[in-house]
């Protein structure tokens, strides 16, 4: 029976793609993509030529039905979002539900994710990590949600755009100025930058910049994580 392969792709550096991902993309009959133009660049780099099917957030249910039709015809299909692992702040969840409901197997092909990349260098672990993804662009809703997340005492990872990163840091600093934060900008890309410090320090840094570009992942240390880390050191 045909299968859907959910393929993780690089978040920036093409060298991060796995051998298994390349083998899968070469082997399937069709490749569904969040943005066919973006995925085509990846495929061209690895000299892979396959028919492409658009499957973005705006047409995911319609595209999922089309992909099910391909599976029913016996065609294996791979799905790749623009960058990283599908379903993690990217389309993919609706597609997986529709395909599984139709009775076809869904196979994960693991790959990079910005939140895991940032956590690996954040330096403050803990048993509980909240992945929030993108917050509401509305100032009131954003700050209210930030306050809720900080109140849990757990570590949190948030994605943000260059247009709102300073506003996010301002919100965090206003609520808990001493909370430790790690900001990852353009992770794995040519201009990768990882900054750490208190919320107040990073807000001061970013608010003083003339120009801010790139994609952001923000790690907010949890007070529980810090406490547990200190207890482990004492023991």
């Amino acid at each position: 029976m045909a299968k859907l392969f959910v393929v993780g792709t690089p978040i920036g550096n093409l060298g991060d793609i796995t051998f298994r991902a390349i083998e899968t993309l070469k082997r399937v009959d069709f490749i569904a993509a969040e943005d066919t133009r973006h995925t085509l660049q990846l495929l061209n780099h690895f000299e892979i030529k396959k028919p492409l099917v658009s499957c973005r957030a705006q047409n995911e249910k319609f595209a999922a039905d089309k992909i099910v039709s391909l599976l029913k015809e016996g065609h294996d299909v791979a799905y790749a979002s623009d960058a990283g692992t599908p379903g993690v702040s990217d389309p993919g969840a609706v597609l997986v539900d529709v395909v599984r409901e139709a009775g076809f197997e869904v196979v994960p092909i693991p790959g990079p994710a910005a939140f895991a990349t940032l956590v690996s260098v954040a330096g403050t672990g803990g048993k509980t990590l909240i992945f929030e993804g993108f917050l509401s662009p509305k100032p009131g809703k954003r700050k209210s949600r930030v306050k809720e997340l900080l109140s849990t005492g757990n570590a949190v990872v948030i994605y943000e755009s260059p247009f709102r990163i300073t506003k996010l840091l301002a919100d965090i600093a206003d609520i808990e100025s001493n909370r430790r934060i790690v900001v990852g900008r353009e992770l794995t890309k040519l201009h990768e930058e990882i900054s750490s410090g208190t919320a107040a320090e990073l807000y001061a840094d970013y608010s003083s910049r003339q120009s801010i570009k790139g994609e952001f992942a923000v790690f907010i240390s949890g007070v529980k994580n810090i406490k547990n880390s200190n207890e482990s050191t004492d023991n």
Side-chain angles (χ1 to χ4, degrees):
M1 180 180 285
K3 301 176 182 178
L4 171 69
F5 297 86
V6 179
V7 182
T9 56
I11 59 175
N13 192 316
L14 294 182
D16 292 335
I17 196 167
T18 67
F19 289 120
R20 189 179 176 205
I22 293 175
E23 290 171 356
T24 300
L25 294 173
K26 287 182 176 180
R27 188 176 66 79
V28 297
D29 303 303
F30 290 85
I31 297 175
E34 179 183 1
D35 186 329
T36 55
R37 296 165 300 179
H38 185 93
T39 299
L40 182 60
Q41 294 177 1
L42 176 71
L43 297 178
N44 287 340
H45 180 81
F46 292 104
E47 299 181 342
I48 299 172
K49 296 185 182 299
K50 297 288 178 176
L52 293 170
V53 178
S54 173
C55 183
R56 59 190 190 277
Q58 295 83 353
N59 76 336
E60 192 170 356
K61 178 60 172 65
F62 174 80
D65 291 336
K66 183 175 181 179
I67 290 168
V68 166
S69 296
L70 292 173
L71 293 168
K72 288 180 177 178
E73 294 171 3
H75 300 294
D76 284 332
V77 181
Y79 177 67
S81 55
D82 285 353
T85 301
V88 183
S89 279
D90 277 336
V94 172
L95 171 62
V96 167
D97 280 345
V98 171
V99 168
R100 187 173 285 126
E101 182 66 25
F104 293 95
E105 183 178 356
V106 180
V107 181
I109 308 296
F115 88 90
T117 301
L118 183 61
V119 170
S120 73
V121 295
T124 302
K127 292 184 177 180
T128 303
L129 170 66
I130 299 173
F131 173 62
E132 180 70 9
F134 286 97
L135 295 169
S136 170
K138 297 181 178 179
K141 287 187 176 181
R142 182 183 62 243
K143 189 168 185 177
S144 176
R145 182 55 179 159
V146 169
K147 187 176 293 186
E148 290 177 355
L149 292 168
L150 292 178
S151 70
T152 68
N154 295 308
V156 180
V157 174
I158 296 171
Y159 288 168
E160 194 50 274
S161 74
F163 310 106
R164 290 188 292 271
I165 183 63
T166 302
K167 295 175 183 177
L168 171 62
L169 294 174
D171 287 341
I172 300 171
D174 187 52
I175 298 167
E176 286 191 41
S177 61
N178 289 323
R179 185 72 76 100
R180 181 175 173 274
I181 293 177
V182 181
V183 175
R185 184 179 72 85
E186 292 290 88
L187 291 172
T188 80
K189 299 176 183 177
L190 180 62
H191 299 292
E192 177 182 82
E193 178 185 12
I194 299 173
S195 308
S196 64
T198 65
E201 289 169 342
L202 288 180
Y203 169 63
D205 175 8
Y206 273 87
S207 62
S208 67
R209 300 189 182 195
Q210 295 296 317
S211 176
I212 299 177
K213 298 179 180 180
E215 298 176 337
F216 291 84
V218 179
F219 177 93
I220 306 172
S221 294
V223 293
K224 293 180 181 179
N225 303 144
I226 296 172
K227 180 180 179 181
N228 292 338
S229 177
N230 291 337
E231 289 176 350
S232 297
T233 302
D234 294 339
N235 293 334

mmCIF file of all heavy atoms in Angstrom, residues 3 21 33 51-52 61 74 91 101-102 129 151 179 208 226 233:
data_model
loop_
_atom_site.group_PDB
_atom_site.id
_atom_site.type_symbol
_atom_site.label_atom_id
_atom_site.label_comp_id
_atom_site.label_asym_id
_atom_site.label_seq_id
_atom_site.Cartn_x
_atom_site.Cartn_y
_atom_site.Cartn_z
ATOM 1 N N LYS A 3 2.259 5.049 0.759
ATOM 2 C CA LYS A 3 2.477 5.719 2.042
ATOM 3 C C LYS A 3 2.729 7.214 1.842
ATOM 4 O O LYS A 3 3.198 7.645 0.785
ATOM 5 C CB LYS A 3 3.682 5.103 2.764
ATOM 6 C CG LYS A 3 3.552 3.622 3.060
ATOM 7 C CD LYS A 3 4.837 3.080 3.688
ATOM 8 C CE LYS A 3 4.742 1.587 3.941
ATOM 9 N NZ LYS A 3 6.015 1.050 4.516
ATOM 10 N N ALA A 21 16.299 11.524 4.396
ATOM 11 C CA ALA A 21 15.395 12.478 3.745
ATOM 12 C C ALA A 21 15.670 12.528 2.248
ATOM 13 O O ALA A 21 14.741 12.514 1.436
ATOM 14 C CB ALA A 21 15.561 13.865 4.366
ATOM 15 N N ALA A 33 4.375 20.062 -1.230
ATOM 16 C CA ALA A 33 5.191 21.092 -0.605
ATOM 17 C C ALA A 33 4.360 22.290 -0.175
ATOM 18 O O ALA A 33 3.381 22.650 -0.841
ATOM 19 C CB ALA A 33 6.281 21.551 -1.569
ATOM 20 N N PRO A 51 7.418 15.266 -9.671
ATOM 21 C CA PRO A 51 6.241 16.130 -9.795
ATOM 22 C C PRO A 51 5.890 16.731 -8.436
ATOM 23 O O PRO A 51 5.960 16.042 -7.405
ATOM 24 C CB PRO A 51 5.142 15.166 -10.262
ATOM 25 C CG PRO A 51 5.861 13.971 -10.794
ATOM 26 C CD PRO A 51 7.117 13.857 -10.017
ATOM 27 N N LEU A 52 5.534 18.017 -8.427
ATOM 28 C CA LEU A 52 5.241 18.715 -7.181
ATOM 29 C C LEU A 52 3.739 19.000 -7.039
ATOM 30 O O LEU A 52 3.057 19.277 -8.020
ATOM 31 C CB LEU A 52 6.016 20.029 -7.117
ATOM 32 C CG LEU A 52 7.541 19.901 -7.008
ATOM 33 C CD1 LEU A 52 8.206 21.265 -7.195
ATOM 34 C CD2 LEU A 52 7.931 19.314 -5.662
ATOM 35 N N LYS A 61 -6.650 21.306 3.212
ATOM 36 C CA LYS A 61 -7.690 20.262 3.143
ATOM 37 C C LYS A 61 -7.922 19.840 1.696
ATOM 38 O O LYS A 61 -8.013 18.622 1.405
ATOM 39 C CB LYS A 61 -9.003 20.796 3.749
ATOM 40 C CG LYS A 61 -10.168 19.811 3.675
ATOM 41 C CD LYS A 61 -9.863 18.527 4.418
ATOM 42 C CE LYS A 61 -11.093 17.629 4.514
ATOM 43 N NZ LYS A 61 -11.563 17.121 3.206
ATOM 44 N N GLY A 74 -1.825 4.270 -5.807
ATOM 45 C CA GLY A 74 -0.614 3.486 -5.550
ATOM 46 C C GLY A 74 0.664 4.290 -5.539
ATOM 47 O O GLY A 74 1.751 3.717 -5.505
ATOM 48 N N PRO A 91 2.334 23.987 8.108
ATOM 49 C CA PRO A 91 1.254 23.074 7.696
ATOM 50 C C PRO A 91 1.711 21.620 7.794
ATOM 51 O O PRO A 91 2.903 21.333 7.835
ATOM 52 C CB PRO A 91 0.998 23.482 6.242
ATOM 53 C CG PRO A 91 1.513 24.871 6.133
ATOM 54 C CD PRO A 91 2.701 24.935 7.045
ATOM 55 N N GLU A 101 -6.927 9.054 8.201
ATOM 56 C CA GLU A 101 -8.355 8.735 8.208
ATOM 57 C C GLU A 101 -8.736 7.926 6.969
ATOM 58 O O GLU A 101 -9.646 7.081 7.018
ATOM 59 C CB GLU A 101 -9.176 10.025 8.268
ATOM 60 C CG GLU A 101 -10.681 9.830 8.328
ATOM 61 C CD GLU A 101 -11.154 9.177 9.611
ATOM 62 O OE1 GLU A 101 -10.441 9.300 10.639
ATOM 63 O OE2 GLU A 101 -12.231 8.554 9.595
ATOM 64 N N ALA A 102 -8.024 8.158 5.868
ATOM 65 C CA ALA A 102 -8.305 7.426 4.630
ATOM 66 C C ALA A 102 -7.703 6.019 4.657
ATOM 67 O O ALA A 102 -7.896 5.243 3.714
ATOM 68 C CB ALA A 102 -7.753 8.205 3.439
ATOM 69 N N LEU A 129 9.112 21.773 29.024
ATOM 70 C CA LEU A 129 9.375 22.833 28.061
ATOM 71 C C LEU A 129 8.099 23.088 27.275
ATOM 72 O O LEU A 129 7.521 22.170 26.694
ATOM 73 C CB LEU A 129 10.503 22.424 27.106
ATOM 74 C CG LEU A 129 10.742 23.330 25.898
ATOM 75 C CD1 LEU A 129 11.245 24.697 26.352
ATOM 76 C CD2 LEU A 129 11.730 22.682 24.933
ATOM 77 N N SER A 151 4.082 32.803 33.991
ATOM 78 C CA SER A 151 3.523 32.416 35.285
ATOM 79 C C SER A 151 3.581 30.910 35.533
ATOM 80 O O SER A 151 3.484 30.466 36.671
ATOM 81 C CB SER A 151 2.068 32.893 35.401
ATOM 82 O OG SER A 151 1.223 32.167 34.533
ATOM 83 N N ARG A 179 14.279 37.773 33.957
ATOM 84 C CA ARG A 179 14.149 36.403 33.428
ATOM 85 C C ARG A 179 15.207 36.194 32.351
ATOM 86 O O ARG A 179 15.360 37.017 31.454
ATOM 87 C CB ARG A 179 12.752 36.180 32.853
ATOM 88 C CG ARG A 179 12.477 34.734 32.386
ATOM 89 C CD ARG A 179 12.315 33.773 33.541
ATOM 90 N NE ARG A 179 11.038 33.888 34.209
ATOM 91 C CZ ARG A 179 10.012 33.058 33.991
ATOM 92 N NH1 ARG A 179 10.127 32.068 33.130
ATOM 93 N NH2 ARG A 179 8.894 33.223 34.668
ATOM 94 N N SER A 208 18.149 49.049 20.373
ATOM 95 C CA SER A 208 19.168 50.000 19.929
ATOM 96 C C SER A 208 19.637 49.737 18.500
ATOM 97 O O SER A 208 20.394 50.526 17.941
ATOM 98 C CB SER A 208 20.382 49.949 20.867
ATOM 99 O OG SER A 208 21.055 48.698 20.749
ATOM 100 N N ILE A 226 15.662 26.680 36.565
ATOM 101 C CA ILE A 226 16.800 27.275 37.258
ATOM 102 C C ILE A 226 16.926 26.689 38.660
ATOM 103 O O ILE A 226 18.004 26.344 39.118
ATOM 104 C CB ILE A 226 16.637 28.807 37.321
ATOM 105 C CG1 ILE A 226 16.671 29.394 35.909
ATOM 106 C CG2 ILE A 226 17.729 29.436 38.177
ATOM 107 C CD1 ILE A 226 16.328 30.867 35.839
ATOM 108 N N THR A 233 23.252 20.997 41.361
ATOM 109 C CA THR A 233 24.630 21.417 41.622
ATOM 110 C C THR A 233 24.972 21.284 43.090
ATOM 111 O O THR A 233 26.065 20.851 43.472
ATOM 112 C CB THR A 233 24.815 22.893 41.194
ATOM 113 O OG1 THR A 233 24.494 22.999 39.807
ATOM 114 C CG2 THR A 233 26.257 23.324 41.400
#
